[in-house]
Amino acid sequence: MNYQQILEQVSREAASLAGSGQVASYIPELAKVPPGRFGMALVTLDGKVFFTGDAAERFSVQSISKVFLLALAIRLVGEKLFERVGKEPSGNPFNSLVQLEYEHGIPRNPFINAGALVMTDVLLEHLPDAKAAVLDFARLLSGSPDVDYDHAVAASERATGFTNIALANFLKAHGNLHHPVEHVVDAYFHHCSLSMSCLELAHSFLFLANHGILPQSTNQPTRLLSVSQTKRLNAVMLTCGFYDEAGEFAFRVGLPGKSGVGGGIAAIMPGRWAAAVWSPEINHFGNSVRGMKALELLTTLTGESIF
Amino acid sequence: MNYQQILEQVSREAASLAGSGQVASYIPELAKVPPGRFGMALVTLDGKVFFTGDAAERFSVQSISKVFLLALAIRLVGEKLFERVGKEPSGNPFNSLVQLEYEHGIPRNPFINAGALVMTDVLLEHLPDAKAAVLDFARLLSGSPDVDYDHAVAASERATGFTNIALANFLKAHGNLHHPVEHVVDAYFHHCSLSMSCLELAHSFLFLANHGILPQSTNQPTRLLSVSQTKRLNAVMLTCGFYDEAGEFAFRVGLPGKSGVGGGIAAIMPGRWAAAVWSPEINHFGNSVRGMKALELLTTLTGESIF
Amino acid sequence: MNYQQILEQVSREAASLAGSGQVASYIPELAKVPPGRFGMALVTLDGKVFFTGDAAERFSVQSISKVFLLALAIRLVGEKLFERVGKEPSGNPFNSLVQLEYEHGIPRNPFINAGALVMTDVLLEHLPDAKAAVLDFARLLSGSPDVDYDHAVAASERATGFTNIALANFLKAHGNLHHPVEHVVDAYFHHCSLSMSCLELAHSFLFLANHGILPQSTNQPTRLLSVSQTKRLNAVMLTCGFYDEAGEFAFRVGLPGKSGVGGGIAAIMPGRWAAAVWSPEINHFGNSVRGMKALELLTTLTGESIF
Amino acid sequence: MNYQQILEQVSREAASLAGSGQVASYIPELAKVPPGRFGMALVTLDGKVFFTGDAAERFSVQSISKVFLLALAIRLVGEKLFERVGKEPSGNPFNSLVQLEYEHGIPRNPFINAGALVMTDVLLEHLPDAKAAVLDFARLLSGSPDVDYDHAVAASERATGFTNIALANFLKAHGNLHHPVEHVVDAYFHHCSLSMSCLELAHSFLFLANHGILPQSTNQPTRLLSVSQTKRLNAVMLTCGFYDEAGEFAFRVGLPGKSGVGGGIAAIMPGRWAAAVWSPEINHFGNSVRGMKALELLTTLTGESIF
């Protein structure tokens, strides 16, 4: 498969959608990103790397970091995580309080904000430093030791993120947050502020296409998740990874993936490759317009999907 | 892979769950089914057939027939179907009116009852006889010319199915039902009453594992759906096929599939096989308890899943 | 109090709101009413009658008839009625299915459509002819033996009232409708089609201002409801009589009352008088714009309200 | 009317309900109150005072203080208050987040917690000290200069009131809270902790039965609210004063009133008297079981109600 040629074709065709979304503005710092950026990268399990456009430029991964949280939380507590967070698609926006109230403080899945707050609480319970742990994990997965949080973004979200603080307090009221709200949201806002490029994201997701084994680890394979855990994490991405467009993404793209309001999407083709795309203009569901189109074109042109 | 041995192991292990669900009772006719039945069948794309238990006994497929409706509706109107029905998981019971009201008469996906009523309406628009069309399609797919509706079940549902009649009237009130309520629900209740065995269901689903081509058609391949249409139908099964347990099924089993309150489940492993299982005891979400467990064991023991 | 002069002032001042609402169009027959009509009548317990404008012209009372249903149902079964219907304001539109589903088929109060369907079912249980009973009651209360149903309106609603048929089927599914859906909705659509003038409505509501005694009955008082039943019916009007504007009406007007989408409103000042107003232009909550304003002016100018 | 004899009869009859509710436990400090307490007081506009039981014992008025907030807020900003808070019954528990989310941060009425938080924010905008203002107002109304906040209750709520902090943050996220969350909730928790007796509450509510004029002001009447403002405040009490039992209270009692989870209820009979009752055992809606019964008996025995 000539992935390089396909990426370039995808990039050209998706360009027609420029201007059809809006850069996320709810965090002042995010609103500064130039809307026209577009980058895409694909890395294969046999070590090949393809990319186009602004694939090396870092952006705010936002909710994509929830995949790192989920992998870490599963490593720490296994299936017990799902006593505190569900695994069903939500049918509601990512920051909705309605579902939480109806279901008594159990977030519907790990990828809505309330779910990520609970996972952060789990990390705080088992690790000396939840902020450092996620950062170290992202550096390990991406192979980039200088991946870092964007402290301006974290501070911006801290100053305006009243809905997330509301969610955390509501979880606390239901006994589903064991640490002080302040600690949990501070760590959470940092996790969201993680700044990575498409190339780094694609590398970071490759272990999920590799049954849980870190692909770079040639001599002595490093297993991060069991085969079954990896399958399950991928299933959660497919059913819950795109807020209220999970069905749409599965329908059009047909791959497990995760989006962020920074305009990034990472996705995997199990047994073959991982890809990441970035275009900051998002639709009103919070998903990158060109990003979704690019991945749809990728699966159409390659004929590769899980279905 | 020794599927026969695996099916037998699955059957033995799943037997421990006997008694942990309830036979569907909302239709009097369904309540008569012996709760202890268990059957399972698996047919491969290269023509091998494996089965165990009551795999040749027919039962009421109920909502599994919605997959036949969706395949026919896509053949008839293609993507335009999704102007009248969504493709997102619902987060609500299969017969909920709440979502319909909030979303102005557009069923959230084709596999909730309201979605199937709209698909039935589409069939009535393009075919001389919607009841005959679905029956003929099931006979073609299963290779069993004597597959038939169970008219006692259809009559039983007709006499007590007030919620479905409510749904149909509500769709009508929103202009999303073009034919008289009476015609639509009559056809719909018949579709649900389709009586098939695990063996017949497994054969019927095989084209969905075969990129849309009817597998029996050796000399001159019969394409029922395009590659892209097949992928999309499978995606809808994965995200919406199990009412409010779609996430759970994806998580534990990791295959596209569809369940019915008669206790049947059909699922596919793209490129390899289709399987069907039947055990009448269902949980409060409407899914077969032993059936879900059996398919989870199948994917665990074979190591096969889409993720 | 010079009620005649006040009614005329109210009429002049409310005229400025002409054109600010819309004539109900969901029933074709209702849409034919000239939007500019305005009538108002007030009758006192000591037998005086005041009126202005089109107060003698009949119009479709629609939901105002639910007050007659409630009075009859309370006479027939007393407090037991409230085992099948609640008495709390709904916070939802008059024809919503959402609340019914969340609360398992118990309509939240007697004045939403579902509640009126249940009351109609109660009437069918205890009376030989539920249609005749409501008509006779309206004739008795109004003192007009030629008050009648508007069969064209009833037929128009019958042909297009799919939402109400959906509600009735849903109630049936929950066991809260004992008679066939067809019988209940036929009677219900007739009740709604009752055609009365402001003068007739004002007379009809006077017993509710008179502790339940029919005011015309000079020699030997006819008690229709007990003191306590009357108080309770009035309380239900105050908290539930205006769909999702019950709070607004209590706030601005401060009287128990009931509106209909035909543009009529009837209200009472306990111990003193009953009034009715008609102006067909309604707001998006279904309440007459000029009607609400007229009653607000009436209580402001007279200084009379229950608070 | 022999109110004293009636209060004593009420007290005896309501005693049979002892044990049928639960003392509020969500604030640890409240859970310490002896469940068997019962007090009741009634003060008339012509200056008579009647009482029975523990009518002089102070308790935590909790949400009854919202009436003081509403009176003050209306005095400060008049009708403009209702640009930031609605006036419709909520159909949801007093601390629900669902309605807030559906209605974009506008609390449905002033008497749900979110509404009181907005009113507190209004006070902070126009007064040098919102805590002192409410306390001074309660002292003025009750004629008891030593009425005070219970700082242990305020601290207890401050330490555990995560749901209210969540509500405040959610209001902030929607721009409907202008002051820092910390300031608003601190004042709010103090307002709720106000400690008053039935006698003090009955005196405090008397101006609402007196068209807004402070009754004690013999020589030169002190008007606190206009006639129209008083009517409107009373209307809000009737439609919204009892959480999800406003309809029930209007139906059974038929008076404007307000309850608190401390087990107190205050109510008025316009033009005649104000009454307060206290019994700490509340039902699952948050309203005092014996308190509601006592007021129902009071209106039944006196034949007095607004309907």
Side-chain angles (χ1 to χ4, degrees):
Chain A
M1 193 83 67
N2 191 333
Y3 288 116
Q4 187 59 37
Q5 192 180 312
I6 288 172
L7 287 194
E8 283 158 18
Q9 183 178 347
V10 162
S11 169
R12 278 192 307 276
E13 294 192 19
S16 68
L17 289 174
S20 54
Q22 299 254 317
V23 174
S25 60
Y26 79 103
I27 309 172
E29 202 65 25
L30 283 186
K32 299 178 183 169
V33 176
R37 288 289 188 280
F38 180 89
M40 194 168 185
L42 185 152
V43 294
T44 64
L45 278 181
D46 53 11
K48 301 212 184 69
V49 177
F50 309 91
F51 59 95
T52 185
D54 305 309
E57 184 170 335
R58 286 182 178 152
F59 57 92
S60 193
V61 306
Q62 293 291 320
S63 289
I64 303 175
S65 65
K66 293 181 170 74
V67 175
F68 303 147
L69 285 180
L70 180 54
L72 284 172
I74 287 177
R75 277 165 65 87
L76 289 168
V77 297
E79 295 278 307
K80 284 173 66 72
L81 174 66
F82 296 101
E83 295 166 10
R84 291 180 58 187
V85 61
K87 44 185 152 2
E88 294 301 325
S90 83
N92 277 313
F94 56 94
N95 57 1
S96 174
L97 292 107
V98 171
Q99 176 270 330
L100 260 196
E101 180 158 338
Y102 278 127
E103 302 187 10
H104 309 293
I106 303 295
R108 203 159 163 84
N109 67 60
F111 290 159
I112 56 175
N113 292 8
L117 288 164
V118 168
M119 292 194 296
T120 301
D121 195 56
V122 166
L123 264 55
L124 284 167
E125 217 149 334
H126 292 87
L127 297 172
D129 183 340
K131 269 191 277 190
V134 170
L135 188 54
D136 288 346
F137 193 53
R139 286 171 174 170
L140 170 74
L141 293 175
S142 65
S144 294
D146 65 340
V147 157
D148 209 346
Y149 293 131
D150 181 329
H151 296 282
V153 167
S156 187
E157 186 136 0
R158 185 73 191 76
T160 60
F162 299 109
T163 301
N164 284 315
I165 301 172
L167 286 169
N169 275 286
F170 197 69
L171 290 165
K172 189 86 180 168
H174 277 82
N176 201 3
L177 214 64
H178 304 164
H179 294 80
V181 165
E182 282 306 300
H183 296 190
V184 177
V185 298
D186 176 59
Y188 172 76
F189 288 141
H190 276 85
H191 298 156
C192 289
S193 80
L194 201 59
S195 187
M196 298 177 76
S197 69
C198 288
L199 280 160
E200 288 161 346
L201 273 178
H203 277 105
S204 299
F205 271 64
L206 203 50
F207 82 104
L208 294 171
N210 197 32
H211 303 298
I213 296 170
L214 197 64
Q216 297 93 335
S217 50
T218 39
N219 292 344
Q220 190 174 317
T222 304
R223 175 167 290 287
L224 297 173
L225 294 176
S226 74
V227 172
S228 169
Q229 287 171 333
T230 309
K231 164 180 128 179
R232 291 174 177 210
L233 192 156
N234 290 342
V236 176
M237 283 206 286
L238 195 93
T239 54
C240 313
F242 292 82
Y243 316 125
D244 204 18
E245 280 198 313
E248 182 76 17
F249 190 81
F251 186 85
R252 285 171 45 191
V253 178
L255 296 177
K258 183 75 200 81
S259 70
V261 292
I265 305 176
I268 59 154
M269 178 65 202
R272 304 204 191 162
W273 46 257
V277 60
W278 172 50
S279 163
E281 294 181 322
I282 59 176
N283 62 22
H284 73 281
F285 295 108
N287 298 314
S288 171
V289 178
R290 279 162 90 181
M292 283 185 72
K293 185 64 183 175
L295 288 166
E296 181 181 0
L297 289 166
L298 175 65
T299 53
T300 303
L301 294 171
T302 60
E304 293 176 314
S305 101
I306 61 170
F307 296 114
Chain B
M1 193 84 65
N2 191 334
Y3 288 116
Q4 186 60 36
Q5 190 180 310
I6 288 173
L7 287 194
E8 282 158 19
Q9 182 179 346
V10 162
S11 170
R12 278 192 307 275
E13 293 192 18
S16 66
L17 289 173
S20 55
Q22 297 254 318
V23 173
S25 60
Y26 78 101
I27 309 172
E29 203 64 27
L30 284 185
K32 300 178 183 168
V33 176
R37 288 288 189 280
F38 180 89
M40 195 168 184
L42 186 152
V43 294
T44 65
L45 278 182
D46 52 11
K48 301 210 184 70
V49 177
F50 309 92
F51 59 95
T52 186
D54 306 309
E57 184 170 335
R58 286 181 179 153
F59 58 92
S60 194
V61 306
Q62 293 291 319
S63 288
I64 303 175
S65 65
K66 293 180 171 75
V67 176
F68 303 147
L69 285 180
L70 180 55
L72 285 173
I74 287 176
R75 277 165 66 87
L76 289 168
V77 299
E79 296 277 306
K80 286 174 65 73
L81 175 66
F82 296 100
E83 296 166 9
R84 292 180 58 187
V85 61
K87 43 184 151 1
E88 295 300 326
S90 83
N92 278 313
F94 57 94
N95 58 0
S96 173
L97 293 106
V98 172
Q99 176 270 329
L100 259 196
E101 180 159 338
Y102 278 127
E103 302 187 10
H104 308 292
I106 304 295
R108 202 158 163 85
N109 66 61
F111 290 159
I112 56 174
N113 292 8
L117 288 164
V118 168
M119 294 194 295
T120 300
D121 195 56
V122 167
L123 264 55
L124 284 167
E125 218 150 334
H126 292 86
L127 297 172
D129 184 340
K131 270 191 275 190
V134 170
L135 189 55
D136 288 347
F137 194 53
R139 287 170 174 171
L140 170 74
L141 293 174
S142 66
S144 295
D146 65 341
V147 157
D148 209 345
Y149 293 131
D150 181 330
H151 295 283
V153 168
S156 186
E157 186 136 359
R158 185 73 192 76
T160 59
F162 299 110
T163 300
N164 284 315
I165 300 172
L167 286 169
N169 276 286
F170 197 68
L171 290 166
K172 190 85 180 168
H174 277 83
N176 201 5
L177 213 64
H178 304 163
H179 294 80
V181 165
E182 283 305 300
H183 297 190
V184 177
V185 298
D186 176 59
Y188 172 76
F189 288 139
H190 276 85
H191 298 156
C192 289
S193 80
L194 202 59
S195 188
M196 299 176 75
S197 69
C198 288
L199 279 161
E200 288 162 347
L201 272 178
H203 277 106
S204 299
F205 271 64
L206 203 50
F207 81 105
L208 294 170
N210 197 31
H211 303 298
I213 295 170
L214 198 64
Q216 297 91 335
S217 49
T218 40
N219 293 344
Q220 192 173 316
T222 304
R223 175 168 289 287
L224 297 173
L225 294 176
S226 73
V227 171
S228 167
Q229 287 171 333
T230 309
K231 165 179 128 179
R232 291 175 176 208
L233 192 155
N234 290 343
V236 175
M237 283 206 287
L238 195 92
T239 53
C240 313
F242 291 82
Y243 316 125
D244 205 17
E245 280 197 313
E248 183 75 17
F249 190 82
F251 186 86
R252 285 171 45 192
V253 177
L255 295 177
K258 184 74 200 80
S259 70
V261 292
I265 305 177
I268 59 154
M269 177 65 201
R272 305 203 191 163
W273 47 256
V277 61
W278 173 51
S279 165
E281 293 182 321
I282 59 177
N283 62 21
H284 74 279
F285 294 108
N287 299 315
S288 171
V289 178
R290 279 162 89 182
M292 283 185 72
K293 185 65 184 174
L295 288 166
E296 181 182 0
L297 289 167
L298 176 65
T299 53
T300 302
L301 294 172
T302 61
E304 294 177 313
S305 101
I306 61 171
F307 296 115
Chain C
M1 194 84 67
N2 192 334
Y3 288 116
Q4 187 59 37
Q5 191 179 311
I6 288 171
L7 287 195
E8 282 159 18
Q9 183 179 346
V10 162
S11 170
R12 278 192 306 274
E13 293 191 20
S16 67
L17 289 172
S20 56
Q22 298 253 317
V23 174
S25 60
Y26 78 101
I27 309 172
E29 202 65 25
L30 284 186
K32 299 177 183 169
V33 176
R37 288 289 188 278
F38 180 90
M40 194 167 187
L42 185 152
V43 294
T44 64
L45 278 183
D46 52 10
K48 300 210 184 72
V49 177
F50 309 92
F51 59 94
T52 185
D54 306 309
E57 184 171 336
R58 285 183 177 150
F59 58 92
S60 194
V61 306
Q62 294 291 318
S63 289
I64 302 176
S65 64
K66 293 181 170 75
V67 175
F68 303 147
L69 286 180
L70 180 53
L72 285 172
I74 287 177
R75 276 164 66 86
L76 289 168
V77 298
E79 295 278 305
K80 286 175 64 74
L81 174 66
F82 296 100
E83 296 166 9
R84 292 180 58 189
V85 60
K87 44 186 155 352
E88 294 301 324
S90 83
N92 277 313
F94 57 93
N95 58 0
S96 172
L97 292 105
V98 171
Q99 176 270 329
L100 259 196
E101 180 158 338
Y102 278 127
E103 303 186 11
H104 309 292
I106 303 295
R108 201 158 163 84
N109 66 60
F111 290 160
I112 56 174
N113 291 9
L117 289 163
V118 168
M119 293 194 294
T120 300
D121 195 56
V122 167
L123 265 55
L124 284 166
E125 217 149 335
H126 293 86
L127 297 173
D129 183 339
K131 269 191 279 189
V134 170
L135 189 55
D136 289 346
F137 194 53
R139 287 171 174 172
L140 169 75
L141 293 174
S142 65
S144 293
D146 65 340
V147 158
D148 209 346
Y149 293 131
D150 181 330
H151 296 281
V153 167
S156 186
E157 186 136 1
R158 185 74 192 75
T160 60
F162 298 110
T163 300
N164 284 314
I165 301 172
L167 285 169
N169 276 285
F170 197 68
L171 290 166
K172 190 86 181 167
H174 277 83
N176 201 5
L177 214 64
H178 305 163
H179 294 79
V181 165
E182 282 306 299
H183 296 189
V184 177
V185 298
D186 177 58
Y188 172 76
F189 288 141
H190 276 84
H191 298 157
C192 288
S193 80
L194 202 59
S195 187
M196 298 175 78
S197 69
C198 288
L199 279 161
E200 288 161 347
L201 274 178
H203 277 105
S204 299
F205 271 63
L206 203 50
F207 81 105
L208 294 171
N210 196 31
H211 303 298
I213 296 171
L214 197 64
Q216 297 92 337
S217 50
T218 41
N219 293 343
Q220 193 174 316
T222 305
R223 177 168 290 288
L224 297 173
L225 294 176
S226 73
V227 172
S228 169
Q229 288 172 333
T230 309
K231 165 180 127 179
R232 291 173 177 210
L233 192 155
N234 290 343
V236 175
M237 284 206 287
L238 194 93
T239 53
C240 313
F242 291 82
Y243 314 125
D244 204 17
E245 280 198 312
E248 182 76 16
F249 190 80
F251 186 85
R252 284 172 45 192
V253 177
L255 296 176
K258 184 74 200 79
S259 70
V261 293
I265 305 177
I268 58 153
M269 178 64 202
R272 304 203 192 164
W273 46 256
V277 60
W278 173 49
S279 164
E281 293 181 322
I282 59 176
N283 62 21
H284 74 281
F285 294 108
N287 299 315
S288 171
V289 178
R290 279 162 89 183
M292 283 185 73
K293 185 64 183 176
L295 287 167
E296 181 182 0
L297 289 167
L298 176 64
T299 53
T300 302
L301 294 172
T302 60
E304 294 177 314
S305 101
I306 59 170
F307 296 115
Chain D
M1 193 83 66
N2 192 333
Y3 288 117
Q4 186 59 37
Q5 191 180 312
I6 287 171
L7 287 194
E8 283 158 18
Q9 183 178 347
V10 162
S11 170
R12 280 192 305 275
E13 293 192 20
S16 66
L17 290 173
S20 56
Q22 298 253 318
V23 173
S25 60
Y26 78 102
I27 309 172
E29 202 64 25
L30 284 186
K32 300 177 184 169
V33 176
R37 287 288 188 280
F38 179 89
M40 194 167 186
L42 185 151
V43 294
T44 65
L45 279 182
D46 52 12
K48 301 210 183 71
V49 178
F50 309 92
F51 60 94
T52 186
D54 306 309
E57 184 171 336
R58 287 184 177 149
F59 57 92
S60 194
V61 306
Q62 293 291 318
S63 289
I64 303 176
S65 65
K66 293 180 170 75
V67 176
F68 303 147
L69 286 180
L70 180 54
L72 285 172
I74 286 177
R75 276 164 66 87
L76 290 168
V77 299
E79 295 278 305
K80 285 174 65 74
L81 174 66
F82 297 99
E83 294 166 11
R84 292 179 58 189
V85 60
K87 44 184 152 1
E88 294 301 325
S90 84
N92 278 313
F94 57 93
N95 58 359
S96 173
L97 293 106
V98 171
Q99 175 270 329
L100 260 196
E101 180 157 338
Y102 277 128
E103 303 187 11
H104 308 294
I106 303 296
R108 202 158 163 84
N109 67 60
F111 290 159
I112 55 175
N113 292 8
L117 289 163
V118 168
M119 292 194 295
T120 301
D121 195 56
V122 167
L123 264 55
L124 285 166
E125 216 150 334
H126 292 86
L127 297 173
D129 183 339
K131 269 191 277 189
V134 169
L135 188 54
D136 289 345
F137 194 52
R139 287 171 174 172
L140 169 74
L141 294 174
S142 65
S144 295
D146 65 340
V147 158
D148 209 345
Y149 293 131
D150 181 330
H151 296 282
V153 168
S156 185
E157 186 136 359
R158 185 72 192 76
T160 59
F162 299 110
T163 300
N164 284 314
I165 301 172
L167 286 170
N169 275 286
F170 197 69
L171 289 165
K172 189 87 180 168
H174 276 83
N176 201 5
L177 214 64
H178 305 163
H179 294 80
V181 164
E182 283 305 300
H183 297 190
V184 177
V185 299
D186 177 58
Y188 172 77
F189 288 140
H190 276 84
H191 298 157
C192 289
S193 80
L194 201 59
S195 187
M196 298 176 77
S197 69
C198 287
L199 279 161
E200 287 162 345
L201 273 177
H203 278 105
S204 299
F205 271 64
L206 203 50
F207 81 105
L208 295 170
N210 196 31
H211 303 298
I213 296 171
L214 197 63
Q216 297 92 334
S217 50
T218 40
N219 293 343
Q220 192 173 315
T222 305
R223 177 167 289 289
L224 297 173
L225 294 176
S226 73
V227 172
S228 168
Q229 287 171 334
T230 309
K231 165 180 128 179
R232 292 175 176 208
L233 191 156
N234 290 343
V236 176
M237 283 206 286
L238 194 93
T239 53
C240 313
F242 292 81
Y243 315 126
D244 205 17
E245 279 197 315
E248 182 76 16
F249 190 81
F251 186 85
R252 284 172 45 191
V253 177
L255 296 177
K258 184 73 201 79
S259 70
V261 292
I265 305 178
I268 59 154
M269 178 64 201
R272 304 202 193 164
W273 47 256
V277 60
W278 172 50
S279 164
E281 293 182 322
I282 59 176
N283 62 21
H284 74 281
F285 295 108
N287 299 315
S288 171
V289 178
R290 279 161 89 182
M292 283 185 73
K293 186 64 182 176
L295 288 166
E296 181 182 0
L297 289 167
L298 176 65
T299 54
T300 302
L301 294 172
T302 61
E304 294 177 314
S305 101
I306 60 171
F307 296 115

